Amino acid sequence: MAYSEKVLDHYENPRNVGSFNPHDTHVGTGMVGAPACGDVMKLQIKVNDQGVIEEAKFKTYGCGSAIASSSLLTEWVKGKTLEQALEIKNTDIAAELALPPVKIHCSVLAEDAIRAAIKDYQSKMLQGAGTTKPDVAAG
Amino acid sequence: MTIYLDHNATTPLDQQVLAAMMPYLRLHHGNSSSVHRAGRVARSAIDQARIQVAALVNVSPAQVVFTSGGTEANNLALQGMRRLARGRTLAISAIEHASVLQTARSLQADGVNVRSIDVDAQGRVVAESLQAGVRTDTALVSVMMANNETGTVQDMVLVAEQARQMGAILHTDAVQVAGKVAIDFAATGAQLMSLSAHKLNGPKGVGALIIDRAVEIEPLLRGGGQEAGLRSGTENVAGIVGFGAAAELAAAGLKFGYESSLRVLRDRLESGLATLPGVTVFGRYAERLPNTVLFGVAGYDGEALVLALNEAGIAVSSGSACDSHSGRAPSHVLLAMGVDEEMARSAIRVSLGRGNTTQDVEQLIAVLAQQTSGFLSRSLGSWA
Amino acid sequence: MKLPIYLDYAATTPVDPRVADKMMQCLTLDGVFGNAASRSHVFGWKAEDAIDVARNQVAALINADPKEIVWTSGATESDNLAIKGVAHFYKKNGRHIVTCKTEHKAVLDTCRQLEREGYEVTYLDPEPNGLIDLKKLEAALRSDTILVSIMHVNNEIGVIQDVAAIGELCRSRGILFHSDAAQSAGKVEIDMERMKIDLLSLSAHKIYGPKGIGALYVRRKPRVRIEAQLHGGGHERGMRSGTLPTHQIVGMGEAFRIAREEMREEGAKIQKLRNRLWNGLREMEEVYLNGDLERRIPGNLNVSFNYVEGESLIMALKSLAVSSGSACTSSSLEPSYVLRAIGRPDELAHSSIRFSIGRFTTEEEIDYTIKAVRDSISRLRELSPLWDMYKDGIDLAKVQWVAH
């Protein structure tokens, strides 16, 4: 499998690897994929009171394209409002990383991950501060 | 040093082709299906060879399916059409190579009706027989572009037009043509074409089937799904690279007059033969390959003469190498041309190739002259 | 030490320099370039002689009669020829074939094709160690079974089937037995006089010979018949037509000669390296060996690294040429069907690496490999959300995944 320069760069120097405390009310966690399919992405965002994503972190089990897609996404969402972040499409990610057709699903997964993280954050907001959430959002 | 004049049987590998192949034997050893670097090097070498072979017959690289040789290519072309041909007709010329004839025979057992197309005394397909043989029930037609024994070149336009009118797929075995005469796949009107590397100074064990995009074919070999699923099996990387290099050299040769230089040698040979008594050149009045002369000397047994030539340091053959082992049966090609059995048994094939010189030809004529005068009485004795 | 380190000898091997030298002598005008079917001149005779020598060399490695060797373009063709050849020839005796789910694609895809032609095929499940339970094989045999095809050594996990016992069973039931020995010839002893194998597929490029050449052993006593699949000049006693590629055959012969003379010593050396590699990897957490360790060829090590995805691992190991699963399926995203068949869950199948060690592997390369693998595993586990969950004591099997 030939990878693009950008995929290799993100794979070798992944940005924003790590985790936030999922119980933090400012944190939204999205976990998508399944081990049996060969990829699982965990994407976390930290949102300030103005609704802007201040920080993002990821961990990914998957191929190089999956790692690169999630790494790229953490860079892109930083500084964006939730609405802006929701506008990111998998095709943008695929184009930026020059993903081959067999790897397009990695970008789809990344889009799913940010949507899941935002949804998680918003549901926390609706439930109000102080409510605890389970460790794993994918439940 | 023996003079080699049997290039239709096989050709020596060109030194440049050997140089192209060696790295893939010695250094790069990846399986082209592997994802790591050694595998990728092999993959790109195969891609390059595919471009080179495609260029030789002016097709797109995607139309080239590499096989283990001409025999497999012919088998793939015919057996790959099995489903289409079942319950219908396969029309083949009477002078096809054994790999077409025998495959056709095996398809008969599978419910394919096989019809033979006659050739005239020069080995050319007879128009009336073509029309009678290729009809609306015909799924597939297989007519070789040039014959390996006589060198007779077929009028592919005539054959293709009949196939087209009847809605039949046309396959042509171009194994003996490639490298000797320029080929334009589309211009032949065929949808399938067989090629072999070792007939054009490439390695043995590799060939190709050229496939028109509109034609769907079923694979013979199943397994790893190589060659877009049409031919499974780990690719013979060095062989394929050699085929590519040989194809490129052949194309360059044709551009710079290789065909006419063969023709000059061939004409020299024929004028020499004309000075000998009792010589008949088969297919003389047909358009022929520039390198092939099949002739008989009245009253002489071809096999014996060929062995005598070998003793004298000249390698020629008494017919097709592929049928050589089948004993003393006279050539089916000559019989189809209406040549009588005795005359057919006198046949000697000289096929010229790269590296042959005027001296080689003159040497052959000299030895033949000697052989056919010196033991005339002996020969007559045996024939009496 | 040269990078990348080649540890993919089960996919293919470099041609041994001794083999390459022999091959070069059979190509050009000053060598044995003739067509072995040319019976009328010295060029043809020399080619035929060279091929005879090679036929003897190949036969010698497996203790067979040279007349039982049929040249093919490789093991894929041998498998196709053996299975279709028997099925078509003996179709009046029955139309049932038994094989195993972990066979090479050349066997499985050929069987699938025969199913489309109206044959019935039973695909046996191997045991978790990769081996066939003879009782299950016996239970699968029927009165209309004409052929059993079980590979000698598996290409992915390297386990050695008891083909001698399978042969006894098949012979006692009057059923023909084919075995794909592409991965075993030159690595495990094969004695056709002792083993009741009727057809055996051989490949040159797995044992330091050239690609594009192989052979099918076809037993003469008792005589086994096959229907030819490539028709033409009637070469190879009518079983396989096509001009014989002298250089390729001579290369295969030389490779088999070398294997016969050196396999014992070489096997011991390779096994030592393989054990060194396994010892260097096994004490990491969540590392699983796939396939039986004892009944296994010396050069194969197939390991699953849990919570790490295989393709990203291969990417991380770019200084190593290794394979995840079989090379022939590596362009697809499916996890290895062999590992699935031995009951590995998908995630372990996805995280597997096959290391295959060979003639030119050194201890230094193994030590480098151990370090490279350990470093990469640590790095990728740092990136892996599954590793975190495992460390937190979460049972991944109980998580409801959002599959896509």
Side-chain angles (χ1 to χ4, degrees):
Chain A
M1 189 78 56
Y3 289 99
S4 69
E5 288 296 320
K6 281 180 179 156
V7 169
L8 287 174
D9 179 41
H10 277 282
Y11 173 76
E12 269 156 27
N13 314 292
R15 333 290 200 251
N16 309 309
V17 177
S19 303
F20 298 125
N21 175 7
H23 307 294
D24 183 334
T25 48
H26 290 286
V27 169
T29 302
M31 175 118 83
V32 293
C37 303
D39 32 31
V40 175
M41 265 180 209
K42 186 183 81 169
L43 188 82
Q44 292 184 299
I45 49 174
K46 191 177 260 180
V47 185
N48 67 16
D49 294 336
Q50 285 73 47
V52 174
I53 299 171
E54 280 189 329
E55 275 188 88
K57 288 204 182 292
F58 85 96
K59 287 212 172 188
T60 290
Y61 162 88
C63 66
S65 300
I67 290 169
S69 294
S70 36
S71 169
L72 175 71
L73 194 64
T74 58
E75 281 193 322
W76 276 5
V77 299
K78 223 188 277 188
K80 284 197 165 67
T81 64
L82 296 180
E83 290 71 30
Q84 287 167 333
L86 280 171
E87 279 166 22
I88 297 171
K89 291 279 168 293
N90 83 287
T91 45
D92 302 331
I93 298 167
E96 173 72 13
L97 295 173
L99 296 183
V102 293
K103 293 296 182 187
I104 297 298
H105 71 277
C106 297
S107 64
V108 174
L109 204 62
E111 186 188 316
D112 290 350
I114 183 65
R115 286 173 180 276
I118 291 170
K119 198 172 152 206
D120 177 56
Y121 170 77
Q122 285 171 335
S123 68
K124 272 184 188 170
M125 288 295 104
L126 287 175
Q127 286 173 29
T131 313
T132 52
K133 291 281 290 175
D135 275 359
V136 184
Chain B
M1 174 85 189
T2 305
I3 298 167
Y4 188 73
L5 300 174
D6 197 12
H7 290 84
N8 284 10
T10 192
T11 57
L13 194 76
D14 189 288
Q15 286 291 348
Q16 282 174 268
V17 175
L18 178 62
M21 288 170 69
M22 281 325 289
Y24 294 92
L25 288 176
R26 288 210 190 277
L27 302 171
H28 310 289
H29 48 70
N31 182 325
S32 65
S33 296
S34 298
V35 288
H36 48 68
R37 198 161 79 191
R40 287 203 303 273
V41 168
R43 161 71 36 219
S44 89
I46 291 172
D47 289 345
Q48 174 61 22
R50 203 183 298 283
I51 292 168
Q52 292 167 316
V53 171
L56 181 66
V57 292
N58 195 23
V59 296
S60 131
Q63 292 175 263
V64 179
V65 173
F66 287 117
T67 66
S68 68
T71 289
E72 187 185 327
N74 281 341
N75 272 263
L76 177 57
L78 269 56
Q79 292 194 53
M81 288 284 142
R82 190 192 305 260
R83 205 181 291 173
L84 184 80
R86 195 170 286 150
R88 298 180 68 200
T89 296
L90 160 65
I92 61 172
S93 88
I95 57 165
E96 292 299 307
H97 185 262
S99 54
V100 167
L101 289 175
Q102 297 301 331
T103 305
R105 192 165 297 171
S106 83
L107 287 171
Q108 255 174 334
D110 217 20
V112 177
N113 176 35
V114 177
R115 209 178 278 144
S116 180
I117 303 167
D118 298 337
V119 295
D120 64 16
Q122 300 299 317
R124 293 170 298 209
V125 159
V126 177
E128 293 72 35
S129 180
L130 178 69
Q131 276 150 20
V134 180
R135 301 201 295 258
T136 50
D137 69 341
T138 307
L140 181 65
V141 182
S142 184
V143 172
M144 69 201 313
M145 205 169 166
N147 184 265
N148 48 314
E149 295 182 32
T150 60
T152 300
V153 174
Q154 297 300 337
D155 181 352
M156 290 312 292
V157 173
L158 179 79
V159 178
E161 181 53 25
Q162 180 66 17
R164 194 191 61 77
Q165 278 183 17
M166 297 300 146
I169 304 279
L170 174 61
H171 165 252
T172 190
D173 174 352
V175 161
Q176 292 292 350
V177 185
K180 296 169 190 154
V181 178
I183 299 177
D184 184 309
F185 177 71
T188 64
Q191 286 83 42
L192 299 162
M193 177 182 279
S194 301
L195 301 174
S196 166
H198 79 99
K199 308 286 191 190
L200 45 89
N201 302 94
K204 293 176 189 58
V206 58
L209 184 66
I210 308 297
I211 306 181
D212 184 282
R213 284 194 188 81
V215 172
E216 271 188 47
I217 194 158
E218 262 190 273
L220 285 183
L221 291 185
R222 293 171 193 272
Q226 289 89 345
E227 297 297 291
L230 288 176
R231 205 284 181 182
S232 290
T234 296
E235 295 92 336
N236 173 1
V237 183
I240 288 171
V241 166
F243 189 8
E248 188 170 328
L249 284 172
L254 288 171
K255 211 163 146 189
F256 294 106
Y258 180 59
E259 180 185 347
S260 52
S261 71
L262 280 175
R263 208 176 286 278
V264 166
L265 266 189
R266 198 266 313 266
D267 291 348
R268 184 111 184 194
L269 169 61
E270 289 191 354
S271 45
L273 287 175
T275 65
L276 304 178
V279 168
T280 305
V281 173
F282 300 109
R284 175 169 187 103
Y285 302 103
E287 187 194 339
R288 280 176 300 147
L289 289 174
N291 79 318
T292 308
V293 183
L294 185 72
F295 65 95
V297 188
Y300 285 89
D301 177 58
E303 191 76 33
L305 214 42
V306 163
L307 289 171
L309 284 169
N310 176 64
E311 287 296 308
I314 299 173
V316 297
S317 91
S318 56
S320 154
C322 299
D323 293 330
S324 299
H325 66 282
S326 57
R328 309 279 293 136
S331 151
H332 73 283
V333 175
L334 290 176
L335 296 184
M337 287 161 65
V339 176
D340 68 56
E341 280 206 22
E342 273 179 20
M343 195 62 197
R345 277 186 214 280
S346 76
I348 296 173
R349 181 183 68 186
V350 176
S351 46
L352 305 163
R354 219 178 292 169
N356 284 148
T357 61
T358 320
Q359 286 92 312
D360 294 344
V361 168
E362 277 163 6
Q363 177 75 12
L364 170 66
I365 296 294
V367 174
L368 268 178
Q370 214 175 10
Q371 293 287 345
T372 53
S373 64
F375 73 168
L376 194 63
S377 53
R378 187 155 39 122
S379 149
L380 282 177
S382 73
W383 277 69
Chain C
M1 192 176 60
K2 231 178 87 188
L3 294 179
I5 293 166
Y6 192 76
L7 290 175
D8 205 8
Y9 284 84
T12 193
T13 58
V15 171
D16 190 289
R18 291 168 285 184
V19 171
D21 286 345
K22 289 270 185 219
M23 291 174 70
M24 280 178 71
Q25 294 163 19
C26 299
L27 287 164
T28 51
L29 190 60
D30 51 358
V32 185
F33 75 89
N35 186 330
S38 293
R39 296 297 164 102
S40 55
H41 53 69
V42 65
F43 295 92
W45 302 334
K46 279 189 179 162
E48 199 187 5
D49 289 348
I51 287 167
D52 274 347
V53 170
R55 208 185 286 278
N56 279 287
Q57 289 168 326
V58 169
L61 179 68
I62 59 170
N63 196 21
D65 183 330
K67 293 194 194 80
E68 296 175 311
I69 303 298
V70 173
W71 303 114
T72 67
S73 65
T76 290
E77 186 184 331
S78 299
D79 287 342
N80 273 258
L81 175 58
I83 296 169
K84 281 186 241 172
V86 163
H88 292 159
F89 193 92
Y90 293 97
K91 60 177 175 247
K92 288 200 180 76
N93 298 9
R95 290 183 161 240
H96 180 239
I97 295 166
V98 177
T99 184
C100 174
K101 285 183 180 166
T102 52
E103 289 295 309
H104 190 269
K105 286 280 183 199
V107 168
L108 294 177
D109 289 359
T110 302
C111 286
R112 295 263 179 246
Q113 170 60 20
L114 287 172
E115 283 182 284
R116 284 189 284 273
E117 291 176 21
Y119 291 80
E120 249 187 279
V121 181
T122 300
Y123 300 90
L124 294 172
D125 281 303
E127 300 306 298
N129 64 359
L131 297 168
I132 293 278
D133 180 342
L134 274 179
K135 286 195 195 71
K136 289 181 187 167
L137 170 61
E138 189 167 10
L141 301 179
R142 313 190 317 210
S143 60
D144 62 340
T145 306
I146 50 173
L147 178 70
V148 169
S149 180
I150 301 287
M151 70 205 312
H152 192 191
V153 166
N154 184 272
N155 48 314
E156 291 195 33
I157 54 179
V159 297
I160 306 166
Q161 301 289 354
D162 188 353
V163 287
I166 296 172
E168 292 291 343
L169 173 61
C170 292
R171 185 66 59 83
S172 75
R173 299 283 296 263
I175 296 166
L176 292 177
F177 174 39
H178 164 250
S179 186
D180 178 345
Q183 296 285 348
S184 66
K187 293 163 193 152
V188 184
E189 196 185 298
I190 302 175
D191 182 346
M192 297 310 281
E193 239 170 52
R194 193 172 56 77
M195 295 170 162
K196 295 191 171 74
I197 302 170
D198 298 300
L199 300 123
L200 188 82
S201 298
L202 298 168
S203 168
H205 79 101
K206 307 288 188 190
I207 56 166
Y208 315 95
K211 293 175 194 40
I213 186 74
L216 180 66
Y217 162 94
V218 183
R219 186 173 287 282
R220 283 165 72 88
K221 282 180 195 158
R223 190 177 179 201
V224 173
R225 308 287 299 273
I226 53 172
E227 196 178 288
Q229 302 296 309
L230 285 188
H231 307 280
H235 308 72
E236 298 300 282
R237 297 184 309 289
M239 285 187 264
R240 201 282 186 180
S241 291
T243 297
L244 294 175
T246 316
H247 68 294
Q248 297 274 78
I249 289 170
V250 164
M252 181 164 175
E254 178 70 0
F256 275 57
R257 178 195 69 79
I258 295 168
R260 180 159 175 261
E261 286 167 16
E262 300 179 359
M263 67 183 272
R264 210 166 289 272
E265 207 174 313
E266 186 171 278
K269 181 202 119 178
I270 288 172
Q271 180 144 11
K272 235 178 100 191
L273 292 174
R274 195 266 315 274
N275 292 346
R276 188 180 182 91
L277 177 59
W278 178 225
N279 288 332
L281 300 177
R282 65 190 304 173
E283 74 264 27
M284 274 190 289
E285 272 183 275
E286 289 294 305
V287 168
Y288 299 90
L289 178 72
N290 297 310
D292 197 272
L293 182 60
E294 296 311 314
R295 298 197 48 194
R296 185 186 199 100
I297 53 164
N300 175 290
L301 192 68
N302 190 311
V303 182
S304 286
F305 301 92
N306 210 358
Y307 312 119
V308 168
E309 190 271 340
E311 200 183 311
S312 65
L313 181 54
I314 289 223
M315 230 172 131
L317 298 174
K318 60 180 183 300
S319 58
L320 309 178
V322 292
S323 140
S324 70
S326 143
C328 299
T329 53
S330 58
S331 61
S332 76
L333 298 170
E334 288 293 301
S336 154
Y337 67 91
V338 171
L339 297 184
R340 274 176 151 175
I342 61 169
R344 285 298 192 210
D346 281 354
E347 46 271 44
L348 277 185
H350 269 301
S351 70
S352 75
I353 296 281
R354 178 187 69 186
F355 303 90
S356 43
I357 297 164
R359 183 169 291 170
F360 306 107
T361 309
T362 64
E363 208 171 274
E364 189 190 9
E365 289 177 330
I366 293 296
D367 292 343
Y368 178 97
T369 300
I370 293 168
K371 184 172 185 315
V373 172
R374 296 184 73 111
D375 290 351
S376 300
I377 295 294
S378 310
R379 185 175 98 82
L380 289 169
R381 281 182 173 166
E382 276 303 300
L383 268 176
S384 169
L386 304 181
W387 180 248
D388 284 351
M389 292 162 80
Y390 163 73
K391 283 286 169 188
D392 290 342
I394 296 169
D395 182 355
L396 295 183
K398 296 217 172 85
V399 175
Q400 290 270 308
W401 298 101
V402 189
H404 62 294

